[in-house]
Structures are given as C-alpha cells and as structure tokens.
Amino acid sequence: MTAWAQLRGIAGYEFRMHWRRRALLVMMLAFVVLTGASILIAGDSLLKPENLDETRYQQVVSAYAIFTAWMPLGVGLALILPVMVADAIPLDRQYGVRDLLDSLPVSRAVYLGGKLVGMWAAVLIGLGMALAFVALVWMLRVGVFDLGSYVEMALAGAASVAILNGGLGVLLAVGQPTRRRAILVVIGALALFILVLPAVTNNWDLRLSFNGQILNPLRMPIINRYLFNVQAEAGLSVESAALMVPPEMVRDTILAGLAELAIIWALAWGWLRWRSVGR
C-alpha cells in the first residue's frame, strides 16, 4: 500500500506541474484554435450539395474532420510533446525535489512510474478535452460526421502516440542535470532515430512497405493511417490509396513502441541505481 500511495503522490504532483508550466495548455489551445478556425472557415463549403446522397456526404465530411484534426495533432504529439516533457525529471533536481525524495524510502521504480503516470494523465486529459471541444464545434458548424472514426483516431492515434512519445521524452532525459540539456538530448535522440533509422534500413519510402518504420519514433504508420486512409476510403485522393496503412501495422507500431519504452525505462532505472550506488 505504501508504494501505491507514493506512486499516487508523485503522479499527482507531476500532473499539477505539467499544467502549471503552461506548455501543455499552450499546445492544446493551439490545436483547438487551428482546428476550430479551419472548421469555421470551411464550414459553408462542407454543406451538403443537393446531388450528393447522405452516405457519400457523411464519408466526405468525416474524412475532412479527421484529416483537419490529425494534421496538427499527429505531428505535435510525435515531435513537440517529447521535447515539451523532457524537463520533468531534471526540474526535480533544480527545485530540490529529487534530494527530498532521495531522503525518503521511495524506490526508483515508483519514482519513474509516478513521473510517467502523472505526465500521461495530464496529456490524455488535455487531449480528451481538446478533441471533445473540436468535435462539438464540428457538429455545431457542419452537423454530421462519423463519430466512431473520430473516436478511433483519438484512441488508436492520438492517445497511443501521446503515451509512447511522451514516455520517451521523460525517460530519455533522466540523466540530465538541467532543463536545457534535457531538451537538447531529446531533440538529438529523436533526430538520430528519425534520420538514421531509414538510412540503416536503406529505405526512405513513405509508402511504409518495410517493417523498419514501426520502430521509428515518428510513428509514421499511425500518422499516415489518419492522414491518408480516410481520404482514400472516401475517394478524395487517388494518391492516398498508395499510402494506406493496414490496421495490423498500426498495432505492430504500438507494440514496438511499448517495447522501446520498456527498454528505455529499464535503462533509466539502471542509471538511477548506478547513481545512487555511486554516492
């Protein structure tokens, strides 16, 4: 029970700190403003033409709704979120929180777990509110779209990338003493994965015809599924059909990301253990 109480305490503290630092709030507000503005601007052009049947109309507007939301959100979660949360552990050292925790019987696993759970809770709650608001604006402005596909994008797309890449951002910076160094390390690690992995596999093809992409933290199979699948299925883009991603590749990408996260968590735990023994 003590470990669970400690985990809840650290997670609660981390949850509050992410909102107090405002970066998460700014990111969610930027998404809402950009997406809401796109919906309001395009609203009249998405009204149902008289010569289009209801089923076809719903396919078209649903594809536009998902594409409009996912374009800024997917890239933001994959690239901006890990940099944004990279200072979670270094700030504890700057504020003296880490010294306080070291004087208490808090295990390294509980500390890392609390950091991750608190960050995940903050990001997922922010995502849920932002996506719900965008859906409300869409229904009020246009009035129709496939809510099931939108929820799938929110869960399999947004939530999975937030959990995977947010976790990477927190754990990759575990050994850094300052906020600036933590951010630089995470940016460098992302660049290394994104630029070097395709070169190692000798394939830069965005058609995702090779399994190496499921290891890339850019999460291209997930990104492409909600950028191109919905357009191709609605018949809006012939080119998108060549970039369609099967559900199995999305599943494999999520599983590979969880495996990456587990390995990096073990390395972070090992570094904290080595540091405490070195003292």
Side-chain angles (χ1 to χ4, degrees):
M1 290 299 293
T2 302
W4 283 110
Q6 291 173 340
L7 181 68
R8 288 196 301 270
I10 295 172
Y13 166 81
E14 192 65 19
F15 177 87
R16 292 189 297 272
M17 289 301 293
H18 277 292
W19 286 110
R20 288 175 182 172
R21 290 197 287 265
R22 307 297 187 212
L24 181 59
L25 178 62
V26 170
M27 181 179 179
M28 296 305 164
L29 285 176
F31 163 68
V32 168
V33 170
L34 287 172
T35 309
S38 299
I39 294 170
L40 294 175
I41 292 170
D44 290 336
S45 66
L46 292 172
L47 296 178
K48 183 178 180 297
E50 294 182 1
N51 60 345
L52 195 64
D53 66 83
E54 189 66 31
T55 302
R56 173 62 179 155
Y57 173 62
Q58 186 168 359
Q59 286 181 327
V60 172
V61 294
S62 296
Y64 184 84
I66 293 173
F67 180 85
T68 302
W70 185 244
M71 175 66 79
L73 188 60
V75 175
L77 292 174
L79 296 178
I80 298 175
L81 178 63
V83 176
M84 189 182 77
V85 301
D87 58 3
I89 292 176
L91 281 179
D92 280 354
R93 195 168 302 160
Q94 285 187 233
Y95 295 156
V97 175
R98 184 62 203 167
D99 293 333
L100 174 63
L101 291 174
D102 285 341
S103 67
L104 299 173
V106 178
S107 71
R108 291 173 289 274
V110 167
Y111 175 70
L112 290 176
K115 284 291 181 181
L116 289 175
V117 170
M119 180 274 296
W120 285 335
V123 174
L124 293 177
I125 288 174
L127 269 178
M129 292 189 296
L131 287 166
F133 183 81
V134 167
L136 178 62
V137 172
W138 183 268
M139 287 189 289
L140 292 175
R141 188 69 178 92
V142 181
V144 60
F145 74 108
D146 184 356
L147 186 59
S149 297
Y150 187 82
V151 172
E152 179 196 333
M153 179 270 291
L155 295 177
S160 65
V161 176
I163 289 171
L164 296 175
N165 286 31
L168 286 181
V170 171
L171 295 175
L172 285 171
V174 69
Q176 304 310 309
T178 65
R179 185 179 203 172
R180 179 176 298 178
R181 280 184 54 176
I183 291 172
L184 290 175
V185 164
V186 171
I187 291 174
L190 288 175
L192 184 67
F193 277 115
I194 292 168
L195 297 176
V196 173
L197 184 61
V200 170
T201 58
N202 198 29
N203 196 328
W204 293 81
D205 189 3
L206 290 180
R207 295 175 187 271
L208 305 175
S209 58
F210 64 105
N211 290 329
Q213 277 285 9
I214 68 173
L215 300 174
N216 196 320
L218 192 56
R219 316 297 175 199
M220 283 306 298
I222 301 175
I223 298 292
N224 278 8
R225 178 167 177 80
Y226 299 104
L227 284 183
F228 301 116
N229 279 41
V230 289
Q231 293 188 70
E233 290 167 358
L236 297 178
S237 172
V238 176
E239 292 79 7
S240 293
L243 294 167
M244 287 186 69
V245 178
E248 294 78 12
M249 185 169 280
V250 173
R251 178 203 62 202
D252 292 346
T253 301
I254 294 173
L255 292 176
L258 290 173
E260 288 175 352
L261 204 58
I263 292 170
I264 295 174
W265 186 92
L267 293 173
W269 181 91
W271 186 91
L272 289 176
R273 183 177 184 277
W274 173 82
R275 180 173 171 269
S276 64
V277 171
R279 287 185 170 186

